[in-house]
Amino acid sequence: MPKLSGPLVLLAAFGGFFLALFLVFQVVDSEFFRGDPDLGGSAVAVKNAKTLEAHARCAEAAHAAHPPADYTAWDLGFDRYLVKVGMGDGAVRPYLCRALNPGGAEEWTVQSLEYLD
C-alpha cells in the first residue's frame, strides 16, 4: 500500500468537511425545510381570516363563552397556527393554543391548550 503524505491527507480531510457542510446547507435550504410559500408561515403576529378561525376554535376548546377580541396569532406555516389570548375583559383565563387546519379543510384540530396563570 502506498504511503500518503501528510499534506495530502489534510487536504482531503478539509475537502471532505467542506463538501459535507455544503451538502448540509443544500438540504436545509430545500423545500422540505422551507415549506410551501402558499401554506403561509410568518415570524410576526398576523390577523387574517385563518387566524381568526384558529382563535375561534381555540376559544371553543377553552370553553370561553365570550372570547376577547384582542388576541395575538402567528401563522406557523403548513396550516398550523399559534394563538395567545390575554386577560381581555377578565372573563377568560389567558391561554396559549396550537391549532391545525390540515389542507385548509373544514376540520380543525386543537393540538394543545395551555393556560397562562
Side-chain angles (χ1 to χ4, degrees), residues 3-77:
K3 246 184 164 179
L4 297 174
S5 66
L8 185 59
V9 171
L10 192 59
L11 182 63
F14 277 122
F17 171 75
F18 285 114
L19 178 62
L21 192 61
F22 172 76
L23 292 175
V24 166
F25 281 121
Q26 290 298 315
V27 170
V28 170
D29 194 37
S30 70
E31 279 296 311
F32 179 76
F33 283 96
R34 276 187 291 149
D36 185 350
D38 294 337
L39 293 178
S42 174
V44 296
V46 295
K47 284 191 179 183
N48 57 32
K50 294 295 261 185
T51 59
L52 184 62
E53 182 66 23
H55 171 256
R57 299 302 174 131
C58 288
E60 183 180 302
H63 303 290
H66 302 288
D70 59 333
Y71 69 94
T72 307
W74 294 267
D75 179 349
L76 302 176

Side-chain angles (χ1 to χ4, degrees), residues 79-91:
D79 298 319
R80 295 174 300 155
Y81 302 89
L82 183 64
V83 178
K84 180 179 178 187
V85 173
M87 290 301 278
D89 58 2

